[in-house]
């Protein structure tokens, strides 16, 4: 029995330490994802070990201490996303519709055919800006056939490779561009948005490729696109947002580096995990769809949408542009070490020609 408990505990320790392995192989990076599940596993392993704990054995104290450290680390990484923690991005202090903008974003799952379910969510939230990923020509047609005429601005990149992207907006888009930052088959959309107040803000919408054993066994391409976008956000002088399916969880080393380099804030911290994937599996869910924003923004509301028969849930968020309060949520300065790490991940990337819209 004790041997079994030791093996069980050792597994939780090893899985916790995998997060710190600086390698890009999919079979290592996959352990970034089930953090909630690993947290529960580490708690169970720690408590179960005391069923056979020998208070006279120094090895037991050492082993239990190691498990306690791993359990504490796992709990802390989850804690910052619970309502018990402080907000990273504060609630809106003003109610000025001209300074507000709302987003609705969804990975529709290209093979999904429940078009009506998505359209119901679109109508329910009536967002200013909508971004859809995994969209082919059929999805584009189904969405546009029932689209409110108020969405007069659009950028459409329907593709059959599960990386198609569509953007629809009630607000004016300024200089929208379709860019291929890492791969000529994986687009991103970069555009300025003119608010009803006349203020300009910057939006980057991305959907980097995930590490997968059959197609892309390394996380290199995903990490490159995230770091390229982080540097764009850092260098942009406008209030900035990054939206999309990152194929990465918020607590991974790459996502945390993305946040530090971009100096963008995560509205989930202090509010909840908002697990968007896998919508088809209750036990294996984590946050893959993200909306990050710079310090000039505050949160009016945020919700996870209903099931649309995709493997992702939609996300809705409404921001208020309040630059006068930016200093209260000022992120830390970017360190030289973080910039070096970001540049190392970008190194070797050849930018493809950009299609101008």
């Amino acid at each position: 029995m004790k041997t079994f408990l030791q093996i069980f505990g050792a597994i939780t320790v090893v899985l916790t330490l995998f997060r710190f392995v600086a390698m890009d192989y999919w079979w290592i990076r996959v352990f970034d994802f089930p953090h909630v599940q690993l947290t529960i596993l580490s708690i169970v392993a720690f408590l179960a070990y005391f069923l056979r704990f020998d208070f006279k054995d120094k090895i037991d104290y050492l082993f239990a201490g190691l498990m306690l450290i791993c359990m504490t680390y796992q709990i802390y990484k989850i804690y910052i996303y619970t309502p018990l923690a402080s907000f990273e991005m504060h609630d809106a202090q003003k109610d000025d519709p001209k300074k507000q903008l709302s987003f609705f974003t969804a990975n529709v799952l290209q093979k999904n055919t429940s078009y009506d379910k998505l359209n119901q969510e679109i109508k329910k939230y009536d967002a200013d800006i909508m971004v859809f990923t995994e969209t082919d020509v059929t999805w584009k047609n189904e969405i546009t056939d029932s689209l409110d005429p108020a969405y007069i601005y659009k950028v459409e990149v329907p593709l059959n490779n599960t990386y198609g992207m569509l953007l629809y907006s009630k607000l004016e888009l300024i200089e929208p561009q379709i860019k291929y930052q890492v791969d000529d088959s994986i687009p991103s959309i970069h555009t300025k948005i003119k608010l009803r107040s006349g203020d300009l803000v910057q939006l980057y919408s991305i959907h980097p490729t995930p590490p997968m054993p059959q197609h892309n066994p390394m996380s290199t391409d995903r990490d490159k696109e995230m770091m390229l976008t982080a540097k764009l956000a850092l260098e942009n002088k406008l209030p900035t947002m990054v939206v999309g399916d990152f194929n990465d969880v918020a607590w991974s080393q790459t996502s945390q580096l993305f946040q530090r380099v971009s100096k963008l804030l995560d509205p989930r911290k202090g509010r909840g995990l908002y697990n968007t994937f896998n919508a088809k599996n209750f036990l294996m869910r984590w946050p893959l769809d993200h909306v990050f924003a710079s310090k000039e923004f505050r949160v009016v509301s945020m919700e996870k949408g209903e099931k649309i028969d995709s493997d992702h849930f939609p996300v809705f968020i409404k921001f208020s542009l309040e630059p006068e309060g930016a200093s209260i949520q000022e992120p830390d300065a970017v360190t030289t070490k973080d910039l070096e790490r970001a540049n190392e991940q970008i190194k070797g990337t050849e930018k493809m020609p950009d299609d101008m819209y």
Side-chain angles (χ1 to χ4, degrees):
M1 177 65 174
K2 187 168 184 177
T3 301
F4 170 78
L5 293 175
Q6 288 174 333
I7 294 173
F8 185 29
I11 290 173
T12 66
V13 171
V14 171
L15 293 180
T16 300
L17 295 177
F18 255 94
R19 184 181 181 277
F20 299 98
V21 177
M23 297 180 70
D24 295 336
Y25 294 106
W26 73 268
W27 55 271
I28 293 178
R29 293 280 64 88
V30 72
F31 290 105
D32 287 338
F33 291 73
H35 190 76
V36 175
Q37 293 80 1
L38 289 179
T39 301
I40 295 171
L41 191 68
S42 66
I43 293 172
V44 172
F46 177 73
L47 296 177
Y49 194 69
F50 283 91
L51 294 173
R52 290 291 186 271
F53 190 86
D54 185 350
F55 289 91
K56 296 180 181 180
D57 190 344
K58 293 181 180 179
I59 299 298
D60 274 11
Y61 283 99
L62 180 63
F63 193 69
L66 185 58
M67 285 196 294
L68 178 62
I69 291 171
C70 291
M71 182 184 71
T72 302
Y73 169 79
Q74 298 279 14
I75 292 173
Y76 170 73
K77 300 302 289 185
I78 293 297
Y79 167 79
I80 60 176
Y81 294 95
T82 70
L84 298 175
S86 300
F87 291 149
E88 183 169 84
M89 181 179 288
H90 292 267
D91 285 334
Q93 298 298 302
K94 297 184 177 181
D95 186 18
D96 183 355
K98 291 183 178 181
K99 291 274 191 176
Q100 295 177 350
L101 73 162
S102 56
F103 280 93
F104 178 81
T105 182
N107 180 318
V108 301
L109 184 63
Q110 184 174 298
K111 63 182 181 181
N112 178 18
T113 58
S114 298
Y115 310 114
D116 289 343
K117 289 188 176 182
L118 176 66
N119 285 326
Q120 287 172 12
E121 290 291 280
I122 289 173
K123 292 174 182 176
K124 179 173 77 174
Y125 287 108
D126 192 29
D128 296 318
I129 300 158
M130 301 188 298
V131 176
F132 304 105
T133 53
E134 279 205 35
T135 44
D136 56 11
V137 172
T138 301
W139 266 106
K140 179 183 79 71
N141 293 338
E142 290 291 339
I143 291 172
T144 55
D145 282 350
S146 59
L147 197 63
D148 189 310
Y151 293 98
I152 59 176
Y153 303 98
K154 62 183 178 181
V155 182
E156 298 173 315
V157 199
L159 297 171
N160 293 324
N161 62 358
T162 74
Y163 290 100
M165 186 178 293
L166 308 174
L167 186 154
Y168 301 99
S169 177
K170 296 179 181 179
L171 303 174
E172 184 179 357
L173 303 181
I174 308 295
E175 300 176 350
Q177 298 174 309
I178 300 168
K179 291 181 175 283
Y180 298 86
Q181 298 191 100
V182 174
D183 189 299
D184 61 1
S185 64
I186 301 177
S188 58
I189 297 174
H190 303 188
T191 184
K192 298 178 183 65
I193 302 169
K194 188 174 183 180
L195 303 189
R196 295 174 180 88
S197 62
D199 294 286
L200 291 182
V201 300
Q202 178 71 46
L203 172 67
Y204 301 107
S205 181
I206 65 174
H207 182 200
T209 180
M212 296 183 297
Q214 64 272 36
H215 300 301
N216 193 13
M218 309 282 281
S219 67
T220 307
D221 285 353
R222 180 197 66 188
D223 300 346
K224 284 179 182 178
E225 181 151 14
M226 288 174 64
M227 292 309 115
L228 285 166
T229 308
K231 291 192 70 177
L232 287 173
L234 176 66
E235 294 162 2
N236 202 298
K237 302 303 180 184
L238 294 173
T240 300
M241 298 159 292
V242 178
V243 177
D245 171 7
F246 282 28
N247 279 309
D248 196 19
V249 286
W251 48 72
S252 75
Q253 291 189 57
T254 306
S255 286
Q256 291 185 346
L257 179 62
F258 168 87
Q259 259 204 276
R260 293 196 300 272
V261 171
S262 66
K263 297 185 69 174
L264 299 180
L265 306 176
D266 187 345
R268 289 167 298 201
K269 290 181 180 177
R271 292 185 174 87
L273 290 167
Y274 293 90
N275 291 328
T276 57
F277 179 94
N278 185 332
K280 299 177 181 289
N281 188 332
F282 177 77
L283 295 177
M284 300 298 286
R285 286 185 182 170
W286 36 74
L288 287 193
D289 301 271
H290 307 281
V291 183
F292 294 105
S294 58
K295 62 185 179 180
E296 295 87 0
F297 292 101
R298 297 212 172 195
V299 178
V300 178
S301 62
M302 184 174 185
E303 296 180 29
K304 183 173 72 175
E306 299 295 329
K307 286 186 177 182
I308 56 172
D309 289 346
S310 169
D311 51 356
H312 289 246
F313 288 98
V315 173
F316 171 83
I317 188 164
K318 180 182 283 189
F319 287 126
S320 173
L321 182 64
E322 300 179 17
E324 63 278 3
S327 60
I328 298 174
Q329 47 188 29
E330 178 78 43
D332 294 335
V334 184
T335 66
T336 301
K337 182 178 179 180
D338 282 340
L339 283 174
E340 288 174 352
R341 288 182 59 198
N343 287 329
E344 286 173 1
Q345 294 188 8
I346 293 171
K347 192 180 299 181
T349 301
E350 294 183 6
K351 295 178 67 178
M352 307 304 294
D354 299 331
D355 292 330
M356 300 295 292
Y357 236 76

